[in-house]
Coordinates of all heavy atoms in Angstrom, one line a residue:
T157 N 10.1 -17.4 -8.9 CA 9.2 -17.8 -9.9 C 8.3 -16.7 -10.3 O 7.6 -16.2 -9.4 CB 8.4 -19.1 -9.6 OG1 9.4 -20.1 -9.1 CG2 7.6 -19.6 -10.7
P158 N 8.2 -16.4 -11.5 CA 7.3 -15.2 -11.9 C 5.8 -15.6 -11.7 O 5.4 -16.8 -11.8 CB 7.6 -15.1 -13.4 CG 8.8 -15.7 -13.6 CD 9.0 -16.8 -12.6
I159 N 5.1 -14.6 -11.3 CA 3.6 -14.6 -11.2 C 3.0 -14.5 -12.6 O 3.2 -13.4 -13.1 CB 3.1 -13.7 -10.2 CG1 3.7 -14.0 -8.7 CG2 1.6 -13.8 -10.1 CD1 3.5 -13.0 -7.8
A160 N 2.2 -15.4 -13.0 CA 1.5 -15.2 -14.3 C 0.5 -14.1 -14.2 O -0.2 -14.0 -13.2 CB 0.9 -16.5 -14.8
F161 N 0.4 -13.4 -15.2 CA -0.8 -12.3 -15.3 C -2.1 -12.8 -15.0 O -2.8 -12.2 -14.1 CB -0.6 -11.5 -16.6 CG -1.7 -10.4 -16.7 CD1 -1.5 -9.3 -16.0 CD2 -2.8 -10.6 -17.5 CE1 -2.5 -8.3 -16.0 CE2 -3.8 -9.7 -17.7 CZ -3.6 -8.4 -16.8
A162 N -2.4 -13.9 -15.6 CA -3.8 -14.5 -15.4 C -3.9 -15.0 -14.0 O -5.0 -14.8 -13.4 CB -4.0 -15.6 -16.4
E163 N -2.8 -15.5 -13.4 CA -2.9 -16.0 -12.0 C -3.2 -14.8 -11.1 O -4.0 -14.9 -10.1 CB -1.6 -16.7 -11.6 CG -1.6 -17.1 -10.1 CD -0.2 -17.7 -9.8 OE1 0.8 -17.6 -10.5 OE2 -0.2 -18.4 -8.7
W164 N -2.5 -13.7 -11.2 CA -2.7 -12.4 -10.5 C -4.1 -11.9 -10.6 O -4.8 -11.7 -9.6 CB -1.6 -11.3 -10.8 CG -2.0 -10.1 -10.4 CD1 -2.2 -8.9 -11.1 CD2 -2.3 -9.6 -9.0 NE1 -2.6 -8.0 -10.4 CE2 -2.6 -8.3 -9.1 CE3 -2.3 -10.3 -7.8 CZ2 -3.0 -7.6 -7.9 CZ3 -2.7 -9.6 -6.7 CH2 -3.0 -8.2 -6.8
T165 N -4.6 -11.7 -11.8 CA -5.9 -11.1 -12.0 C -7.0 -12.1 -11.4 O -7.9 -11.5 -10.8 CB -6.2 -10.7 -13.4 OG1 -6.0 -11.9 -14.3 CG2 -5.3 -9.7 -13.9
T166 N -6.9 -13.4 -11.6 CA -7.8 -14.2 -11.0 C -7.9 -14.0 -9.5 O -8.9 -14.0 -8.9 CB -7.5 -15.7 -11.5 OG1 -7.6 -15.8 -12.8 CG2 -8.5 -16.7 -10.8
Y167 N -6.7 -14.1 -8.9 CA -6.6 -14.0 -7.5 C -7.1 -12.7 -7.0 O -7.9 -12.6 -6.1 CB -5.1 -14.1 -7.0 CG -5.1 -13.9 -5.5 CD1 -5.4 -14.8 -4.6 CD2 -4.7 -12.5 -5.1 CE1 -5.3 -14.6 -3.3 CE2 -4.7 -12.3 -3.7 CZ -5.0 -13.4 -2.7 OH -5.0 -13.1 -1.4
A168 N -6.6 -11.5 -7.6 CA -7.1 -10.3 -7.2 C -8.6 -10.1 -7.2 O -9.3 -9.4 -6.3 CB -6.5 -9.1 -8.0
Q169 N -9.2 -10.6 -8.2 CA -10.7 -10.6 -8.3 C -11.4 -11.5 -7.3 O -12.5 -11.1 -6.9 CB -11.2 -11.0 -9.7 CG -10.7 -10.1 -10.9 CD -10.9 -10.5 -12.2 OE1 -11.3 -11.7 -12.5 NE2 -10.6 -9.7 -13.2
S170 N -10.6 -12.4 -6.7 CA -11.3 -13.2 -5.7 C -11.1 -12.8 -4.3 O -11.8 -13.3 -3.5 CB -10.9 -14.6 -5.9 OG -9.5 -14.8 -5.5
D171 N -10.1 -11.9 -4.0 CA -9.7 -11.4 -2.7 C -10.6 -10.2 -2.3 O -10.4 -9.2 -2.9 CB -8.2 -11.2 -2.7 CG -7.8 -10.9 -1.3 OD1 -8.5 -10.3 -0.4 OD2 -6.5 -11.2 -1.0
A172 N -11.4 -10.4 -1.3 CA -12.3 -9.3 -0.9 C -11.5 -8.1 -0.3 O -12.1 -7.0 -0.2 CB -13.2 -9.8 0.2
R173 N -10.2 -8.3 0.1 CA -9.4 -7.1 0.6 C -8.9 -6.3 -0.5 O -8.5 -5.1 -0.2 CB -8.2 -7.7 1.4 CG -8.6 -8.4 2.7 CD -7.4 -9.1 3.2 NE -6.9 -10.1 2.2 CZ -5.7 -10.7 2.1 NH1 -4.9 -10.5 3.2 NH2 -5.4 -11.5 1.3
L174 N -9.0 -6.7 -1.7 CA -8.6 -5.9 -2.9 C -9.8 -5.3 -3.7 O -10.8 -6.0 -3.8 CB -7.7 -6.8 -3.8 CG -6.5 -7.4 -3.2 CD1 -5.9 -8.3 -4.2 CD2 -5.5 -6.2 -2.8
S175 N -9.7 -4.1 -4.2 CA -10.6 -3.5 -5.0 C -9.8 -2.9 -6.3 O -8.9 -2.4 -6.1 CB -11.5 -2.6 -4.3 OG -10.7 -1.5 -3.8
A176 N -10.6 -3.0 -7.3 CA -10.1 -2.4 -8.6 C -10.1 -0.9 -8.4 O -11.0 -0.3 -7.9 CB -10.9 -2.8 -9.8
S177 N -9.0 -0.3 -9.0 CA -8.9 1.2 -8.8 C -8.4 1.7 -10.2 O -7.5 2.6 -10.2 CB -7.9 1.5 -7.6 OG -7.8 2.9 -7.6
G178 N -8.8 1.4 -11.3 CA -8.4 1.8 -12.5 C -7.4 0.9 -13.2 O -7.2 -0.2 -12.9
T179 N -6.6 1.6 -14.2 CA -5.6 0.8 -14.9 C -4.4 1.6 -15.1 O -4.4 2.8 -14.8 CB -6.1 0.5 -16.4 OG1 -6.4 1.8 -17.0 CG2 -7.3 -0.4 -16.4
I180 N -3.3 0.9 -15.4 CA -2.0 1.5 -15.7 C -1.6 1.0 -17.2 O -1.8 -0.1 -17.5 CB -1.0 1.2 -14.6 CG1 0.3 1.9 -14.8 CG2 -0.7 -0.4 -14.6 CD1 1.3 1.8 -13.7
A181 N -1.0 2.0 -17.8 CA -0.5 1.6 -19.3 C 1.0 1.4 -19.1 O 1.7 2.2 -18.6 CB -0.9 2.8 -20.2
L182 N 1.3 0.2 -19.6 CA 2.7 -0.2 -19.6 C 3.2 -0.3 -21.0 O 2.7 -1.1 -21.8 CB 2.9 -1.4 -18.8 CG 2.6 -1.5 -17.4 CD1 2.7 -2.8 -16.7 CD2 3.4 -0.4 -16.5
R183 N 4.1 0.5 -21.5 CA 4.7 0.5 -22.8 C 5.3 -0.9 -23.2 O 6.0 -1.4 -22.3 CB 5.6 1.6 -23.0 CG 4.9 3.0 -22.9 CD 5.9 4.1 -23.2 NE 5.4 5.3 -22.7 CZ 5.6 6.5 -23.5 NH1 6.4 6.4 -24.5 NH2 5.0 7.5 -23.0
N184 N 5.2 -1.2 -24.3 CA 5.9 -2.5 -24.9 C 5.7 -3.6 -24.0 O 6.5 -4.4 -23.7 CB 7.4 -2.2 -25.0 CG 7.7 -1.0 -25.9 OD1 7.0 -0.8 -26.9 ND2 8.7 -0.1 -25.5
H185 N 4.4 -3.8 -23.6 CA 4.1 -4.9 -22.7 C 2.7 -5.4 -23.0 O 1.9 -4.7 -23.5 CB 4.2 -4.5 -21.3 CG 4.4 -5.6 -20.3 ND1 3.3 -6.5 -19.9 CD2 5.4 -6.1 -19.8 CE1 3.7 -7.3 -19.1 NE2 5.1 -7.2 -19.0
D186 N 2.6 -6.8 -22.9 CA 1.4 -7.4 -23.1 C 0.7 -7.9 -21.9 O 1.4 -8.8 -21.3 CB 1.5 -8.5 -24.3 CG 0.2 -9.1 -24.7 OD1 -0.7 -8.4 -24.7 OD2 0.3 -10.4 -24.9
P187 N -0.3 -7.7 -21.5 CA -1.3 -6.6 -22.1 C -0.8 -5.2 -21.7 O -0.2 -5.0 -20.6 CB -2.6 -6.9 -21.4 CG -2.3 -7.5 -20.0 CD -0.9 -8.3 -20.2
H188 N -1.1 -4.3 -22.5 CA -0.6 -2.9 -22.4 C -1.4 -2.3 -21.2 O -0.7 -1.6 -20.5 CB -1.0 -2.2 -23.8 CG -0.5 -0.8 -23.8 ND1 0.9 -0.4 -23.8 CD2 -1.2 0.4 -23.7 CE1 0.9 0.9 -23.8 NE2 -0.3 1.4 -23.8
E189 N -2.6 -2.2 -21.2 CA -3.4 -1.7 -20.1 C -3.6 -2.8 -19.0 O -4.1 -3.9 -19.3 CB -4.8 -1.2 -20.6 CG -4.8 0.0 -21.4 CD -4.7 1.2 -20.5 OE1 -5.2 1.3 -19.5 OE2 -4.0 2.3 -21.0
Q190 N -3.2 -2.5 -17.8 CA -3.4 -3.5 -16.7 C -4.2 -2.9 -15.5 O -4.0 -1.7 -15.2 CB -2.0 -4.0 -16.3 CG -1.3 -4.7 -17.3 CD 0.1 -5.3 -16.8 OE1 0.2 -5.6 -15.7 NE2 1.0 -5.4 -17.8
P191 N -4.9 -3.7 -14.9 CA -5.8 -3.2 -13.8 C -4.8 -2.9 -12.6 O -3.7 -3.6 -12.4 CB -6.7 -4.4 -13.4 CG -6.1 -5.6 -13.9 CD -5.2 -5.2 -15.1
V192 N -5.1 -1.9 -11.8 CA -4.5 -1.5 -10.5 C -5.6 -1.8 -9.5 O -6.7 -1.5 -9.6 CB -4.1 0.0 -10.5 CG1 -3.5 0.3 -9.2 CG2 -3.1 0.2 -11.7
Y193 N -5.1 -2.5 -8.3 CA -5.9 -2.9 -7.3 C -5.3 -2.2 -6.0 O -4.1 -1.8 -5.9 CB -5.9 -4.4 -7.0 CG -6.6 -5.1 -8.2 CD1 -5.8 -5.6 -9.2 CD2 -7.9 -5.3 -8.0 CE1 -6.4 -6.2 -10.2 CE2 -8.5 -6.2 -9.0 CZ -7.8 -6.5 -10.2 OH -8.4 -7.1 -11.1
V194 N -6.2 -1.9 -5.1 CA -5.8 -1.3 -3.8 C -6.2 -2.2 -2.7 O -7.3 -2.8 -2.8 CB -6.3 0.2 -3.5 CG1 -5.6 1.1 -4.6 CG2 -7.8 0.3 -3.6
L195 N -5.5 -2.1 -1.5 CA -6.0 -2.9 -0.3 C -7.1 -2.0 0.1 O -7.2 -0.8 0.1 CB -4.9 -2.9 0.7 CG -3.9 -3.9 0.7 CD1 -2.8 -3.7 1.6 CD2 -4.5 -5.3 0.7
S196 N -8.3 -2.7 0.5 CA -9.5 -2.0 0.8 C -9.6 -1.2 2.2 O -10.6 -1.4 2.9 CB -10.6 -3.1 0.8 OG -10.3 -4.1 1.8
H197 N -8.6 -0.4 2.4 CA -8.7 0.6 3.4 C -8.3 1.9 2.8 O -7.8 2.1 1.7 CB -8.0 0.3 4.6 CG -6.5 0.3 4.5 ND1 -5.6 1.4 4.5 CD2 -5.7 -0.8 4.2 CE1 -4.4 0.9 4.4 NE2 -4.4 -0.3 4.2
A198 N -8.7 3.1 3.5 CA -8.6 4.4 2.9 C -7.3 4.8 2.2 O -7.2 5.4 1.2 CB -9.1 5.5 3.8
D199 N -6.2 4.4 3.0 CA -4.9 4.8 2.6 C -4.1 3.6 2.0 O -2.9 3.6 2.0 CB -4.1 5.3 3.8 CG -4.7 6.5 4.3 OD1 -5.4 7.2 3.7 OD2 -4.4 6.8 5.6
G200 N -4.8 2.6 1.6 CA -4.2 1.3 1.0 C -3.4 1.6 0.0 O -3.5 2.5 -1.0
P201 N -2.2 0.8 -0.3 CA -1.3 0.8 -1.3 C -1.9 0.3 -2.7 O -2.9 -0.4 -2.6 CB -0.1 0.0 -0.8 CG -0.8 -1.0 0.1 CD -1.9 -0.3 0.7
S202 N -1.4 0.9 -3.7 CA -1.8 0.4 -4.9 C -0.9 -0.9 -5.5 O 0.2 -0.9 -5.0 CB -1.8 1.4 -6.1 OG -0.4 1.8 -6.2
I203 N -1.5 -1.9 -6.2 CA -0.7 -3.0 -6.6 C -1.0 -3.2 -8.1 O -2.2 -3.2 -8.5 CB -1.2 -4.3 -5.7 CG1 -1.2 -4.0 -4.2 CG2 -0.4 -5.6 -6.1 CD1 -1.9 -5.0 -3.5
H204 N 0.1 -3.5 -8.9 CA -0.1 -3.9 -10.3 C 0.9 -4.8 -10.5 O 2.0 -5.0 -9.9 CB -0.1 -2.6 -11.2 CG 1.2 -2.0 -11.4 ND1 1.7 -1.1 -10.5 CD2 2.2 -2.2 -12.3 CE1 2.9 -0.7 -10.9 NE2 3.2 -1.4 -12.1
W205 N 0.7 -5.6 -11.6 CA 1.5 -6.6 -12.1 C 2.4 -6.1 -13.1 O 2.1 -5.3 -14.0 CB 0.7 -7.8 -12.8 CG 1.5 -9.0 -13.3 CD1 1.7 -10.1 -12.6 CD2 1.9 -9.1 -14.6 NE1 2.4 -10.9 -13.4 CE2 2.5 -10.4 -14.7 CE3 1.9 -8.3 -15.7 CZ2 3.2 -10.9 -15.8 CZ3 2.6 -8.8 -16.9 CH2 3.2 -10.1 -16.9
Y206 N 3.8 -6.5 -13.1 CA 4.7 -6.1 -14.1 C 5.7 -7.2 -14.2 O 6.5 -7.4 -13.3 CB 5.4 -4.8 -13.6 CG 6.4 -4.3 -14.7 CD1 6.0 -3.8 -15.9 CD2 7.7 -4.2 -14.3 CE1 6.9 -3.4 -16.8 CE2 8.7 -3.9 -15.3 CZ 8.3 -3.5 -16.6 OH 9.1 -3.0 -17.5
Q207 N 5.7 -7.7 -15.4 CA 6.7 -8.7 -15.8 C 7.0 -9.8 -14.7 O 8.1 -10.2 -14.3 CB 8.1 -8.0 -16.1 CG 8.0 -7.2 -17.3 CD 9.4 -6.7 -17.6 OE1 10.4 -6.6 -16.8 NE2 9.5 -6.1 -18.9
G208 N 5.8 -10.3 -14.2 CA 5.9 -11.5 -13.2 C 6.0 -11.0 -11.9 O 6.1 -12.0 -10.9
D209 N 6.1 -9.8 -11.5 CA 6.1 -9.4 -10.2 C 4.9 -8.4 -9.8 O 4.4 -7.9 -10.8 CB 7.4 -8.5 -10.0 CG 8.7 -9.2 -10.0 OD1 8.7 -10.4 -9.6 OD2 9.7 -8.6 -10.4
L210 N 4.5 -8.4 -8.6 CA 3.6 -7.4 -8.2 C 4.3 -6.2 -7.7 O 5.2 -6.3 -6.9 CB 2.7 -8.0 -7.1 CG 1.8 -9.2 -7.6 CD1 1.0 -9.7 -6.3 CD2 1.0 -8.9 -8.8
V211 N 4.0 -5.1 -8.2 CA 4.6 -3.8 -7.8 C 3.6 -3.1 -6.8 O 2.5 -2.8 -7.2 CB 4.9 -3.0 -9.0 CG1 5.5 -1.6 -8.5 CG2 5.8 -3.6 -10.0
V212 N 4.0 -2.7 -5.6 CA 3.3 -2.2 -4.6 C 3.7 -0.7 -4.4 O 5.1 -0.6 -4.1 CB 3.2 -3.0 -3.3 CG1 2.4 -2.3 -2.2 CG2 2.9 -4.4 -3.5
T213 N 2.8 0.2 -4.4 CA 3.2 1.6 -4.2 C 2.5 2.1 -3.0 O 1.2 2.0 -3.0 CB 2.9 2.4 -5.5 OG1 3.4 1.8 -6.5 CG2 3.4 3.8 -5.3
G214 N 3.2 2.8 -2.2 CA 2.6 3.4 -1.0 C 2.3 2.7 0.2 O 1.4 3.0 1.0
A215 N 3.0 1.6 0.4 CA 2.8 0.7 1.5 C 3.4 1.0 2.7 O 4.5 1.5 2.7 CB 3.2 -0.8 1.1
S216 N 2.7 1.0 3.9 CA 3.2 1.4 5.2 C 3.6 0.1 5.8 O 3.4 -1.0 5.2 CB 2.1 2.0 6.0 OG 1.0 1.0 6.4
D217 N 4.3 0.1 6.9 CA 4.8 -1.0 7.8 C 3.6 -2.0 8.0 O 3.6 -3.1 7.9 CB 5.5 -0.7 9.0 CG 6.8 0.0 8.7 OD1 7.3 -0.2 7.5 OD2 7.3 0.6 9.6
A218 N 2.3 -1.4 8.4 CA 1.2 -2.1 8.7 C 0.6 -2.8 7.5 O 0.1 -4.0 7.5 CB 0.1 -1.2 9.3
D219 N 0.7 -2.2 6.2 CA 0.3 -2.9 5.0 C 1.1 -4.1 4.7 O 0.6 -5.0 4.1 CB 0.5 -1.9 3.9 CG -0.5 -0.8 4.0 OD1 -1.6 -0.9 4.6 OD2 -0.2 0.5 3.6
V220 N 2.4 -4.1 5.1 CA 3.2 -5.3 4.9 C 2.6 -6.5 5.3 O 2.6 -7.6 4.7 CB 4.7 -5.1 5.3 CG1 5.5 -6.4 5.2 CG2 5.4 -4.0 4.6
E221 N 2.0 -6.4 6.5 CA 1.4 -7.6 7.2 C 0.2 -8.0 6.4 O -0.1 -9.3 6.3 CB 1.0 -7.3 8.7 CG 2.1 -7.0 9.6 CD 3.1 -8.2 9.5 OE1 2.7 -9.5 9.6 OE2 4.3 -8.1 9.4
Q222 N -0.5 -7.0 5.7 CA -1.6 -7.5 4.9 C -1.2 -8.0 3.5 O -2.0 -8.7 2.9 CB -2.6 -6.2 4.7 CG -3.2 -5.8 6.1 CD -4.3 -4.8 5.8 OE1 -4.9 -4.7 4.7 NE2 -4.4 -3.7 6.7
L223 N 0.0 -7.8 3.1 CA 0.5 -8.2 1.9 C 1.0 -9.7 2.0 O 1.1 -10.4 1.0 CB 1.6 -7.2 1.3 CG 1.1 -5.9 1.0 CD1 2.4 -5.0 0.6 CD2 0.2 -5.9 -0.3
R224 N 1.4 -10.0 3.1 CA 1.9 -11.4 3.3 C 0.9 -12.5 2.9 O 1.4 -13.4 2.2 CB 2.4 -11.6 4.8 CG 3.7 -11.0 5.2 CD 4.1 -11.2 6.6 NE 5.0 -10.3 7.0 CZ 6.0 -10.6 7.8 NH1 6.2 -11.9 8.2 NH2 6.9 -9.7 8.1
P225 N -0.3 -12.5 3.3 CA -1.3 -13.5 2.9 C -1.4 -13.5 1.3 O -1.6 -14.7 0.8 CB -2.6 -13.1 3.5 CG -2.2 -12.3 4.7 CD -0.9 -11.6 4.3
I226 N -1.4 -12.4 0.7 CA -1.4 -12.3 -0.7 C -0.3 -13.1 -1.4 O -0.4 -13.9 -2.2 CB -1.5 -10.9 -1.2 CG1 -2.8 -10.3 -0.8 CG2 -1.4 -10.8 -2.7 CD1 -2.9 -8.7 -1.0
A227 N 1.0 -12.7 -0.8 CA 2.2 -13.4 -1.3 C 2.1 -14.9 -1.0 O 2.4 -15.7 -1.9 CB 3.4 -12.7 -0.6
D228 N 1.7 -15.3 0.1 CA 1.6 -16.8 0.4 C 0.7 -17.4 -0.6 O 0.9 -18.5 -1.0 CB 1.0 -17.0 1.9 CG 2.1 -16.6 2.9 OD1 3.3 -16.4 2.5 OD2 1.7 -16.4 4.1
A229 N -0.5 -16.8 -0.9 CA -1.5 -17.4 -1.8 C -0.9 -17.6 -3.3 O -1.4 -18.6 -4.0 CB -2.7 -16.6 -1.8
L230 N 0.0 -16.7 -3.5 CA 0.6 -16.7 -4.9 C 2.0 -17.3 -4.8 O 2.7 -17.4 -5.8 CB 0.7 -15.3 -5.5 CG -0.6 -14.6 -5.6 CD1 -0.4 -13.1 -6.0 CD2 -1.4 -15.3 -6.9
D231 N 2.4 -18.0 -3.7 CA 3.7 -18.7 -3.5 C 4.8 -17.6 -3.8 O 5.7 -18.1 -4.7 CB 3.7 -20.0 -4.4 CG 4.9 -20.9 -4.0 OD1 5.2 -20.9 -2.8 OD2 5.4 -21.6 -4.9
A232 N 4.7 -16.5 -3.3 CA 5.7 -15.5 -3.5 C 6.1 -14.9 -2.2 O 5.7 -15.5 -1.1 CB 5.0 -14.3 -4.3
R233 N 7.0 -13.9 -2.2 CA 7.6 -13.3 -1.0 C 7.4 -11.8 -1.1 O 7.3 -11.3 -2.3 CB 9.0 -13.7 -0.8 CG 9.3 -15.0 -0.7 CD 10.7 -15.3 -0.2 NE 11.7 -15.0 -1.2 CZ 12.9 -15.1 -1.1 NH1 13.6 -15.5 0.0 NH2 13.7 -14.8 -2.2
V234 N 7.3 -11.1 0.0 CA 7.2 -9.7 0.1 C 8.6 -9.1 0.1 O 9.3 -9.4 1.1 CB 6.3 -9.2 1.2 CG1 6.3 -7.6 1.3 CG2 4.9 -9.7 1.2
Q235 N 9.0 -8.4 -0.8 CA 10.4 -7.8 -0.8 C 10.4 -6.2 -0.9 O 9.6 -5.6 -1.7 CB 11.1 -8.3 -2.1 CG 12.6 -7.8 -2.2 CD 13.4 -8.6 -3.3 OE1 12.7 -9.1 -4.1 NE2 14.6 -8.3 -3.3
G236 N 11.1 -5.6 0.0 CA 11.2 -4.2 0.0 C 12.1 -3.5 -1.0 O 12.7 -4.2 -1.8
D237 N 12.0 -2.3 -1.2 CA 12.7 -1.5 -2.2 C 14.3 -1.7 -2.1 O 14.9 -1.6 -3.1 CB 12.5 0.1 -2.0 CG 11.1 0.4 -2.4 OD1 10.4 -0.3 -3.1 OD2 10.7 1.5 -1.9
D238 N 14.8 -1.9 -0.9 CA 16.2 -2.1 -0.9 C 16.6 -3.6 -0.9 O 17.6 -4.0 -0.4 CB 16.7 -1.6 0.5 CG 16.5 -0.1 0.6 OD1 16.7 0.4 -0.5 OD2 16.2 0.4 1.6
G239 N 15.7 -4.5 -1.4 CA 15.9 -5.9 -1.5 C 15.6 -6.8 -0.3 O 15.9 -8.0 -0.2
E240 N 15.3 -6.1 0.8 CA 15.0 -6.9 2.1 C 13.6 -7.8 2.0 O 12.8 -7.3 1.3 CB 15.0 -6.0 3.2 CG 13.8 -5.2 3.4 CD 13.8 -3.8 2.5 OE1 14.6 -3.7 1.6 OE2 12.9 -3.0 2.8
F241 N 13.7 -8.9 2.6 CA 12.4 -9.7 2.5 C 11.7 -9.5 3.9 O 12.4 -9.5 4.9 CB 12.7 -11.1 2.3 CG 13.2 -11.3 0.9 CD1 14.6 -11.5 0.6 CD2 12.3 -11.5 -0.2 CE1 14.9 -11.7 -0.7 CE2 12.7 -11.6 -1.4 CZ 14.0 -11.8 -1.8
Y242 N 10.4 -9.6 3.8 CA 9.6 -9.4 5.1 C 8.9 -10.8 5.3 O 8.6 -11.5 4.5 CB 8.5 -8.3 4.9 CG 9.1 -7.0 4.8 CD1 9.3 -6.4 3.5 CD2 9.4 -6.2 5.9 CE1 9.8 -5.1 3.3 CE2 9.9 -4.9 5.8 CZ 10.1 -4.4 4.5 OH 10.7 -3.2 4.4

């Protein structure tokens, strides 16, 4: 089930583990400029919404454990680049 943009932004703004880290411009998409969030540690991965999914960049194995509660809160699953689920 896709995650609604409004659902994601509301959640991201309420989760103390996430902090805003600028925006990303997505062509031919509404909204065009979207916020990017990072997990609140120095090397945290960036997270942005794209077409109903959350795209995570730069996640380590340890970060996957921190992403699970986010996925649970949004009734989603954490999926790797090769299609594997965590």
